[in-house]
Amino acid sequence: MLPKDNRVKKKKDFEIIFKNGTTLKSSFFILKVINNNLDLNRFAIIVNKKVSKKATERNKIRRIISSFLEKSYNNMHIGKDFVFVVLPNIKGKTSVEIGKSIEKIIKN
């Protein structure tokens, strides 16, 4: 799980990110990225009911993404906010496939 300091939590922050952030797309995600002028990266993962009606499946997807972000945190540029909006076609994919997709989209 990501530390509390590394999470986007405030509604105001989300509004700024969605309004002014750069949008990147992959087959599993829509990623919004914006500079945050802090000495750390912050993340948010949005998995809505269109992905799965079961909370356990949505939380599993969230944990897989969070785990990969924790592992690759040291290799990222510092000072950005990331919001991952998960798309429905992620369902049934392995953690390796999800990890590769995250790695590919973050490098852009």
Side-chain angles (χ1 to χ4, degrees):
M1 179 178 263
L2 291 167
K4 285 188 178 184
D5 292 342
N6 293 98
R7 296 186 213 159
V8 178
K9 295 177 255 177
K10 296 181 181 178
K11 182 178 180 179
K12 179 182 169 187
D13 292 336
F14 278 102
E15 289 172 355
I16 291 169
I17 294 167
F18 278 104
K19 184 177 179 185
N20 302 323
T22 305
T23 304
L24 302 170
K25 274 189 150 185
S26 79
S27 55
F28 303 144
F29 310 102
I30 296 173
L31 176 63
K32 291 290 219 174
V33 182
I34 193 168
N35 291 331
N36 64 12
N37 300 322
L38 300 173
D39 293 334
L40 52 91
N41 288 335
R42 298 186 306 171
F43 303 94
I45 303 164
I46 300 171
V47 186
N48 65 26
K49 286 188 178 179
K50 289 181 184 177
V51 175
S52 175
K53 294 199 185 281
K54 295 181 179 180
T56 54
E57 290 179 6
R58 294 193 307 270
N59 289 332
K60 182 178 180 180
I61 292 167
R62 195 174 290 117
R63 283 192 310 271
I64 290 169
I65 295 168
S66 178
S67 172
F68 186 82
L69 292 173
E70 263 186 288
K71 291 175 187 173
S72 61
Y73 185 82
N74 293 330
N75 299 329
M76 298 174 144
H77 297 288
I78 301 297
K80 295 189 180 216
D81 286 341
F82 298 89
V83 176
F84 288 87
V85 180
V86 178
L87 300 174
N89 57 350
I90 198 169
K91 193 173 175 181
K93 301 299 180 189
T94 66
S95 57
V96 174
E97 291 173 312
I98 295 170
K100 286 181 182 179
S101 181
I102 294 170
E103 189 175 323
K104 182 178 176 184
I105 198 169
I106 287 178
K107 286 186 179 181
N108 291 335

PDB file of all heavy atoms in Angstrom, residues 64-83:
ATOM      1  N   ILE A  64      -3.003  -4.464  -6.999  1.00  0.00           N
ATOM      2  CA  ILE A  64      -1.987  -4.824  -8.000  1.00  0.00           C
ATOM      3  C   ILE A  64      -1.297  -3.563  -8.517  1.00  0.00           C
ATOM      4  O   ILE A  64      -0.067  -3.493  -8.597  1.00  0.00           O
ATOM      5  CB  ILE A  64      -2.611  -5.625  -9.161  1.00  0.00           C
ATOM      6  CG1 ILE A  64      -3.030  -7.019  -8.690  1.00  0.00           C
ATOM      7  CG2 ILE A  64      -1.646  -5.718 -10.337  1.00  0.00           C
ATOM      8  CD1 ILE A  64      -3.876  -7.775  -9.694  1.00  0.00           C
ATOM      9  N   ILE A  65      -2.083  -2.556  -8.854  1.00  0.00           N
ATOM     10  CA  ILE A  65      -1.525  -1.306  -9.379  1.00  0.00           C
ATOM     11  C   ILE A  65      -0.680  -0.615  -8.311  1.00  0.00           C
ATOM     12  O   ILE A  65       0.438  -0.181  -8.570  1.00  0.00           O
ATOM     13  CB  ILE A  65      -2.654  -0.383  -9.884  1.00  0.00           C
ATOM     14  CG1 ILE A  65      -3.358  -1.030 -11.073  1.00  0.00           C
ATOM     15  CG2 ILE A  65      -2.098   0.992 -10.265  1.00  0.00           C
ATOM     16  CD1 ILE A  65      -4.653  -0.359 -11.468  1.00  0.00           C
ATOM     17  N   SER A  66      -1.214  -0.541  -7.107  1.00  0.00           N
ATOM     18  CA  SER A  66      -0.504   0.101  -6.002  1.00  0.00           C
ATOM     19  C   SER A  66       0.826  -0.592  -5.714  1.00  0.00           C
ATOM     20  O   SER A  66       1.854   0.059  -5.500  1.00  0.00           O
ATOM     21  CB  SER A  66      -1.390   0.091  -4.756  1.00  0.00           C
ATOM     22  OG  SER A  66      -0.727   0.650  -3.667  1.00  0.00           O
ATOM     23  N   SER A  67       0.819  -1.914  -5.736  1.00  0.00           N
ATOM     24  CA  SER A  67       2.031  -2.685  -5.489  1.00  0.00           C
ATOM     25  C   SER A  67       3.089  -2.387  -6.548  1.00  0.00           C
ATOM     26  O   SER A  67       4.269  -2.187  -6.230  1.00  0.00           O
ATOM     27  CB  SER A  67       1.705  -4.178  -5.483  1.00  0.00           C
ATOM     28  OG  SER A  67       2.866  -4.943  -5.437  1.00  0.00           O
ATOM     29  N   PHE A  68       2.680  -2.343  -7.803  1.00  0.00           N
ATOM     30  CA  PHE A  68       3.636  -2.055  -8.865  1.00  0.00           C
ATOM     31  C   PHE A  68       4.187  -0.638  -8.730  1.00  0.00           C
ATOM     32  O   PHE A  68       5.383  -0.406  -8.931  1.00  0.00           O
ATOM     33  CB  PHE A  68       3.007  -2.243 -10.244  1.00  0.00           C
ATOM     34  CG  PHE A  68       4.007  -2.088 -11.343  1.00  0.00           C
ATOM     35  CD1 PHE A  68       4.827  -3.135 -11.696  1.00  0.00           C
ATOM     36  CD2 PHE A  68       4.162  -0.876 -11.991  1.00  0.00           C
ATOM     37  CE1 PHE A  68       5.789  -2.978 -12.691  1.00  0.00           C
ATOM     38  CE2 PHE A  68       5.108  -0.711 -12.983  1.00  0.00           C
ATOM     39  CZ  PHE A  68       5.921  -1.768 -13.332  1.00  0.00           C
ATOM     40  N   LEU A  69       3.344   0.320  -8.374  1.00  0.00           N
ATOM     41  CA  LEU A  69       3.799   1.702  -8.209  1.00  0.00           C
ATOM     42  C   LEU A  69       4.795   1.828  -7.066  1.00  0.00           C
ATOM     43  O   LEU A  69       5.763   2.581  -7.162  1.00  0.00           O
ATOM     44  CB  LEU A  69       2.602   2.628  -7.986  1.00  0.00           C
ATOM     45  CG  LEU A  69       1.679   2.803  -9.182  1.00  0.00           C
ATOM     46  CD1 LEU A  69       0.443   3.590  -8.782  1.00  0.00           C
ATOM     47  CD2 LEU A  69       2.394   3.462 -10.343  1.00  0.00           C
ATOM     48  N   GLU A  70       4.569   1.083  -5.984  1.00  0.00           N
ATOM     49  CA  GLU A  70       5.513   1.081  -4.865  1.00  0.00           C
ATOM     50  C   GLU A  70       6.882   0.568  -5.294  1.00  0.00           C
ATOM     51  O   GLU A  70       7.914   1.139  -4.943  1.00  0.00           O
ATOM     52  CB  GLU A  70       4.994   0.179  -3.750  1.00  0.00           C
ATOM     53  CG  GLU A  70       4.268   0.885  -2.664  1.00  0.00           C
ATOM     54  CD  GLU A  70       3.925  -0.067  -1.549  1.00  0.00           C
ATOM     55  OE1 GLU A  70       3.041  -0.914  -1.741  1.00  0.00           O
ATOM     56  OE2 GLU A  70       4.558   0.054  -0.485  1.00  0.00           O
ATOM     57  N   LYS A  71       6.886  -0.521  -6.059  1.00  0.00           N
ATOM     58  CA  LYS A  71       8.143  -1.128  -6.494  1.00  0.00           C
ATOM     59  C   LYS A  71       8.914  -0.230  -7.446  1.00  0.00           C
ATOM     60  O   LYS A  71      10.136  -0.195  -7.427  1.00  0.00           O
ATOM     61  CB  LYS A  71       7.877  -2.474  -7.159  1.00  0.00           C
ATOM     62  CG  LYS A  71       7.397  -3.536  -6.205  1.00  0.00           C
ATOM     63  CD  LYS A  71       7.037  -4.799  -6.945  1.00  0.00           C
ATOM     64  CE  LYS A  71       6.395  -5.811  -6.022  1.00  0.00           C
ATOM     65  NZ  LYS A  71       5.880  -6.972  -6.743  1.00  0.00           N
ATOM     66  N   SER A  72       8.203   0.489  -8.311  1.00  0.00           N
ATOM     67  CA  SER A  72       8.875   1.296  -9.326  1.00  0.00           C
ATOM     68  C   SER A  72       9.002   2.763  -8.938  1.00  0.00           C
ATOM     69  O   SER A  72       9.444   3.585  -9.736  1.00  0.00           O
ATOM     70  CB  SER A  72       8.129   1.175 -10.658  1.00  0.00           C
ATOM     71  OG  SER A  72       6.814   1.646 -10.537  1.00  0.00           O
ATOM     72  N   TYR A  73       8.644   3.116  -7.703  1.00  0.00           N
ATOM     73  CA  TYR A  73       8.660   4.519  -7.271  1.00  0.00           C
ATOM     74  C   TYR A  73      10.037   5.160  -7.406  1.00  0.00           C
ATOM     75  O   TYR A  73      10.160   6.302  -7.842  1.00  0.00           O
ATOM     76  CB  TYR A  73       8.170   4.639  -5.824  1.00  0.00           C
ATOM     77  CG  TYR A  73       8.039   6.054  -5.351  1.00  0.00           C
ATOM     78  CD1 TYR A  73       6.911   6.797  -5.659  1.00  0.00           C
ATOM     79  CD2 TYR A  73       9.058   6.667  -4.618  1.00  0.00           C
ATOM     80  CE1 TYR A  73       6.783   8.098  -5.243  1.00  0.00           C
ATOM     81  CE2 TYR A  73       8.942   7.977  -4.198  1.00  0.00           C
ATOM     82  CZ  TYR A  73       7.797   8.693  -4.513  1.00  0.00           C
ATOM     83  OH  TYR A  73       7.681   9.990  -4.100  1.00  0.00           O
ATOM     84  N   ASN A  74      11.082   4.453  -7.041  1.00  0.00           N
ATOM     85  CA  ASN A  74      12.439   5.019  -7.068  1.00  0.00           C
ATOM     86  C   ASN A  74      12.941   5.303  -8.478  1.00  0.00           C
ATOM     87  O   ASN A  74      13.888   6.067  -8.655  1.00  0.00           O
ATOM     88  CB  ASN A  74      13.414   4.095  -6.345  1.00  0.00           C
ATOM     89  CG  ASN A  74      13.119   4.018  -4.865  1.00  0.00           C
ATOM     90  OD1 ASN A  74      12.627   4.976  -4.278  1.00  0.00           O
ATOM     91  ND2 ASN A  74      13.393   2.878  -4.269  1.00  0.00           N
ATOM     92  N   ASN A  75      12.333   4.712  -9.493  1.00  0.00           N
ATOM     93  CA  ASN A  75      12.752   4.917 -10.879  1.00  0.00           C
ATOM     94  C   ASN A  75      11.967   6.022 -11.576  1.00  0.00           C
ATOM     95  O   ASN A  75      12.154   6.246 -12.762  1.00  0.00           O
ATOM     96  CB  ASN A  75      12.602   3.620 -11.671  1.00  0.00           C
ATOM     97  CG  ASN A  75      13.461   2.518 -11.101  1.00  0.00           C
ATOM     98  OD1 ASN A  75      14.527   2.770 -10.550  1.00  0.00           O
ATOM     99  ND2 ASN A  75      12.996   1.295 -11.214  1.00  0.00           N
ATOM    100  N   MET A  76      11.088   6.710 -10.856  1.00  0.00           N
ATOM    101  CA  MET A  76      10.229   7.726 -11.455  1.00  0.00           C
ATOM    102  C   MET A  76      10.798   9.126 -11.225  1.00  0.00           C
ATOM    103  O   MET A  76      11.536   9.351 -10.276  1.00  0.00           O
ATOM    104  CB  MET A  76       8.831   7.674 -10.836  1.00  0.00           C
ATOM    105  CG  MET A  76       8.104   6.403 -11.038  1.00  0.00           C
ATOM    106  SD  MET A  76       6.584   6.476 -10.087  1.00  0.00           S
ATOM    107  CE  MET A  76       5.508   5.617 -11.171  1.00  0.00           C
ATOM    108  N   HIS A  77      10.385  10.049 -12.094  1.00  0.00           N
ATOM    109  CA  HIS A  77      10.705  11.452 -11.886  1.00  0.00           C
ATOM    110  C   HIS A  77       9.865  11.958 -10.718  1.00  0.00           C
ATOM    111  O   HIS A  77       8.683  11.659 -10.617  1.00  0.00           O
ATOM    112  CB  HIS A  77      10.410  12.274 -13.135  1.00  0.00           C
ATOM    113  CG  HIS A  77      11.244  11.871 -14.310  1.00  0.00           C
ATOM    114  ND1 HIS A  77      12.588  12.148 -14.389  1.00  0.00           N
ATOM    115  CD2 HIS A  77      10.930  11.210 -15.437  1.00  0.00           C
ATOM    116  CE1 HIS A  77      13.064  11.679 -15.524  1.00  0.00           C
ATOM    117  NE2 HIS A  77      12.077  11.097 -16.186  1.00  0.00           N
ATOM    118  N   ILE A  78      10.459  12.750  -9.856  1.00  0.00           N
ATOM    119  CA  ILE A  78       9.785  13.235  -8.654  1.00  0.00           C
ATOM    120  C   ILE A  78       9.041  14.543  -8.952  1.00  0.00           C
ATOM    121  O   ILE A  78       9.482  15.346  -9.766  1.00  0.00           O
ATOM    122  CB  ILE A  78      10.819  13.461  -7.517  1.00  0.00           C
ATOM    123  CG1 ILE A  78      11.562  12.160  -7.206  1.00  0.00           C
ATOM    124  CG2 ILE A  78      10.164  14.012  -6.264  1.00  0.00           C
ATOM    125  CD1 ILE A  78      10.680  11.050  -6.696  1.00  0.00           C
ATOM    126  N   GLY A  79       7.918  14.749  -8.279  1.00  0.00           N
ATOM    127  CA  GLY A  79       7.186  16.006  -8.384  1.00  0.00           C
ATOM    128  C   GLY A  79       5.988  15.959  -9.302  1.00  0.00           C
ATOM    129  O   GLY A  79       5.642  16.954  -9.931  1.00  0.00           O
ATOM    130  N   LYS A  80       5.312  14.809  -9.385  1.00  0.00           N
ATOM    131  CA  LYS A  80       4.146  14.692 -10.259  1.00  0.00           C
ATOM    132  C   LYS A  80       2.984  14.034  -9.527  1.00  0.00           C
ATOM    133  O   LYS A  80       3.173  13.280  -8.585  1.00  0.00           O
ATOM    134  CB  LYS A  80       4.486  13.869 -11.497  1.00  0.00           C
ATOM    135  CG  LYS A  80       5.519  14.524 -12.374  1.00  0.00           C
ATOM    136  CD  LYS A  80       5.667  13.799 -13.674  1.00  0.00           C
ATOM    137  CE  LYS A  80       6.725  14.523 -14.485  1.00  0.00           C
ATOM    138  NZ  LYS A  80       6.453  14.539 -15.876  1.00  0.00           N
ATOM    139  N   ASP A  81       1.780  14.360  -9.975  1.00  0.00           N
ATOM    140  CA  ASP A  81       0.572  13.684  -9.517  1.00  0.00           C
ATOM    141  C   ASP A  81       0.075  12.795 -10.642  1.00  0.00           C
ATOM    142  O   ASP A  81       0.021  13.221 -11.798  1.00  0.00           O
ATOM    143  CB  ASP A  81      -0.522  14.699  -9.164  1.00  0.00           C
ATOM    144  CG  ASP A  81      -0.255  15.434  -7.872  1.00  0.00           C
ATOM    145  OD1 ASP A  81       0.554  14.943  -7.066  1.00  0.00           O
ATOM    146  OD2 ASP A  81      -0.878  16.486  -7.655  1.00  0.00           O
ATOM    147  N   PHE A  82      -0.277  11.562 -10.299  1.00  0.00           N
ATOM    148  CA  PHE A  82      -0.781  10.598 -11.266  1.00  0.00           C
ATOM    149  C   PHE A  82      -2.167  10.130 -10.838  1.00  0.00           C
ATOM    150  O   PHE A  82      -2.342   9.743  -9.686  1.00  0.00           O
ATOM    151  CB  PHE A  82       0.123   9.356 -11.317  1.00  0.00           C
ATOM    152  CG  PHE A  82       1.533   9.617 -11.761  1.00  0.00           C
ATOM    153  CD1 PHE A  82       2.518   9.947 -10.841  1.00  0.00           C
ATOM    154  CD2 PHE A  82       1.875   9.501 -13.096  1.00  0.00           C
ATOM    155  CE1 PHE A  82       3.821  10.165 -11.234  1.00  0.00           C
ATOM    156  CE2 PHE A  82       3.183   9.719 -13.502  1.00  0.00           C
ATOM    157  CZ  PHE A  82       4.162  10.048 -12.576  1.00  0.00           C
ATOM    158  N   VAL A  83      -3.114  10.152 -11.756  1.00  0.00           N
ATOM    159  CA  VAL A  83      -4.426   9.570 -11.490  1.00  0.00           C
ATOM    160  C   VAL A  83      -4.669   8.506 -12.556  1.00  0.00           C
ATOM    161  O   VAL A  83      -4.736   8.798 -13.749  1.00  0.00           O
ATOM    162  CB  VAL A  83      -5.553  10.630 -11.526  1.00  0.00           C
ATOM    163  CG1 VAL A  83      -6.907   9.967 -11.350  1.00  0.00           C
ATOM    164  CG2 VAL A  83      -5.333  11.680 -10.458  1.00  0.00           C
TER     165      VAL A  83
END
